[in-house]
Amino acid sequence: MKKTKVLVTLLMLLLVISCGKKGNGKDKGPDLKNIGGTNKKVNEVEKYNLYIEIYNKLHSFEKTANSYFKEVGAEAQFKKPDGSVDADFYDVKNIITELEKAIPAKPKMAELDKTSENLLAVFKELKPLADDMNSYYSGKDYTSDNYKKAQEFHTKFLEILKKYDVAVLAFRTEMDKKIVEQREKEAKQLQKEGRVIAYNRMMILSVGEEVLNEISRQKLTGADVVSGDAAKFKALQEKLINVVGEFNKYAKDEKQMKKEGYKDYDLTGFTNKADNFKASLANLVERIEAKKPISEFSLRDQFFLENETGSPENVIKSFNELVKEYNSMNK
């Protein structure tokens, strides 16, 4: 991973389990805690969802690593921090556990399983170092050795992250292929079953991904938001308005909700997050068109930047919240 703040930290979507039956209840996904393992036979979508959980946990791990680098620097020479250092890489253990579930589970996904094995090896190498770093900083051992051990940990951490960069790139490349493949299958199945609420939920997220891809393509950040191409985002805004409108139409249809096993309250959270995302995109378009730069104060802190109206970072944050809501409905 790059030792700088990554702009587009896109969470990915869990898929529902389509059983080929109409009105089969809410779009519940698999019990991820109880599947996987050596030679365990699972549904193809269940295994896919295991890998999606891992994909999203990598996002959390990288955020923690970036927080560490923010305090001590990303160069070879360790920089003494002004305050405390958070080196609690709690996701490492969870990622190892999830990889050990997913890799041997049947059916095999040859290339994805192979890249996951390489990723697992990196995390197994990282685990003891991560534990030592957490103990060192949480126990304030640095007060007795004036950060001598910190430099040693820092050097090893950078070396392992170089291996991580290679492994995670290969993993994400294979995951991106699998995501397209599985999403197309799921969309066709939902249409076949007449589950238009679930289908339009997925389409909202699909348009959202187009928005984030455009942010990435334009290399747009809060620092240069005024240079954005508003026309590109306005076209996507119109597309998003239309698909959210389709979702809302069917989400208010009592007959359709009953067919798909929904109650009013099941969709409230997703509806609110979709509206928030739609608004965040509208705010981005308005800021670009008005050529209104973001204040230096907000640019200095990621928290304020992500909560700044009309910033690309706010759009990304809003989308990830929508994805989390989507995934929570599929568990």
Side-chain angles (χ1 to χ4, degrees):
M1 61 170 289
K2 294 181 180 180
K3 276 70 75 177
T4 56
K5 183 63 68 175
V6 178
L7 175 62
V8 180
T9 50
L10 173 61
L11 297 182
M12 300 311 298
L13 317 181
L14 292 170
L15 291 185
V16 301
I17 302 299
S18 293
C19 302
K21 298 178 182 179
K22 295 180 180 180
N24 62 338
K26 300 175 191 175
D27 294 326
K28 294 273 187 184
D31 180 358
L32 295 174
K33 294 180 180 178
N34 296 317
I35 65 176
T38 305
N39 297 321
K40 176 74 174 180
K41 179 73 176 178
V42 299
N43 181 292
E44 181 181 7
V45 177
E46 290 175 336
K47 178 160 181 171
Y48 168 84
N49 280 345
L50 278 174
Y51 274 129
I52 287 295
E53 289 280 350
I54 294 164
Y55 193 108
N56 289 340
K57 281 187 172 70
L58 294 176
H59 158 75
S60 181
F61 163 71
E62 290 174 2
K63 283 187 69 175
T64 306
N66 275 327
S67 294
Y68 165 79
F69 287 122
K70 185 177 180 181
E71 297 299 328
V72 305
E75 305 304 320
Q77 180 60 48
F78 174 85
K79 181 185 73 175
K80 289 185 180 180
D82 294 330
S84 61
V85 175
D86 181 6
D88 183 7
F89 300 100
Y90 59 90
D91 282 308
V92 171
K93 181 179 179 180
N94 292 333
I95 291 170
I96 289 173
T97 300
E98 295 302 319
L99 283 168
E100 289 178 336
K101 281 184 185 178
I103 294 168
K106 303 295 175 61
K108 293 188 70 63
M109 297 178 176
E111 292 304 315
L112 185 53
D113 290 341
K114 182 179 178 181
T115 60
S116 298
E117 287 173 358
N118 295 335
L119 192 61
L120 176 60
V122 173
F123 276 104
K124 283 187 172 180
E125 181 180 358
L126 175 59
K127 178 64 167 58
L129 175 63
D131 290 343
D132 287 344
M133 290 174 69
N134 186 36
S135 177
Y136 179 81
Y137 286 106
S138 63
K140 294 190 174 182
D141 294 3
Y142 52 85
T143 59
S144 66
D145 73 348
N146 194 28
Y147 291 100
K148 181 179 179 181
K149 196 74 174 177
Q151 178 64 65
E152 180 182 329
F153 288 148
H154 185 70
T155 299
K156 290 180 180 178
F157 190 52
L158 289 174
E159 289 173 354
I160 294 175
L161 281 190
K162 288 180 182 178
K163 299 177 184 179
Y164 173 78
D165 282 343
V166 175
V168 81
L169 176 60
F171 172 78
R172 283 179 168 144
T173 298
E174 292 304 318
M175 275 299 300
D176 289 344
K177 295 177 186 176
K178 184 61 67 175
I179 286 164
V180 172
E181 175 189 326
Q182 293 295 137
R183 191 84 58 79
E184 289 177 352
K185 287 181 181 178
E186 186 66 16
K188 288 178 182 178
Q189 188 66 34
L190 291 173
Q191 286 181 304
K192 181 180 178 180
E193 295 172 4
R195 295 164 64 191
V196 289
I197 296 175
Y199 173 78
N200 281 298
R201 277 200 312 131
M202 183 179 287
M203 290 303 100
I204 290 172
L205 274 296
S206 180
V207 176
E209 288 173 352
E210 290 185 55
V211 172
L212 265 67
N213 287 338
E214 184 60 31
I215 289 174
S216 180
R217 190 190 68 78
Q218 294 190 29
K219 296 181 173 61
L220 204 60
T221 69
D224 59 4
V225 64
V226 296
S227 69
D229 184 344
K232 297 286 187 182
F233 290 113
K234 287 190 79 169
L236 291 171
Q237 181 187 11
E238 187 65 28
K239 194 173 181 179
L240 182 62
I241 289 171
N242 290 336
V243 72
V244 171
E246 280 294 293
F247 169 79
N248 287 336
K249 179 176 71 174
Y250 290 110
K252 295 173 183 176
D253 185 327
E254 292 184 4
K255 184 177 179 181
Q256 186 64 35
M257 284 197 294
K258 184 177 180 180
K259 176 182 178 181
E260 298 189 43
Y262 290 115
K263 301 292 184 183
D264 287 337
Y265 55 79
D266 295 323
L267 302 173
T268 301
F270 183 83
T271 300
N272 291 339
K273 295 297 183 183
D275 286 340
N276 290 343
F277 176 59
K278 191 170 56 170
S280 72
L281 179 56
N283 291 332
L284 174 64
V285 171
E286 288 178 1
R287 184 178 284 274
I288 294 173
E289 289 184 327
K291 299 295 181 182
K292 182 181 178 182
I294 292 173
S295 70
E296 288 297 324
F297 175 81
S298 292
L299 290 174
R300 285 197 296 266
D301 190 287
Q302 189 69 15
F303 173 81
F304 293 113
L305 190 55
E306 289 179 349
N307 287 282
E308 178 74 30
T309 299
S311 72
E313 290 81 0
N314 181 254
V315 175
I316 294 165
K317 174 177 177 283
S318 181
F319 178 74
N320 279 339
E321 288 174 351
L322 181 61
V323 172
K324 287 179 182 178
E325 183 65 30
Y326 178 98
N327 284 345
S328 71
M329 294 176 71
N330 288 354
K331 290 183 179 179

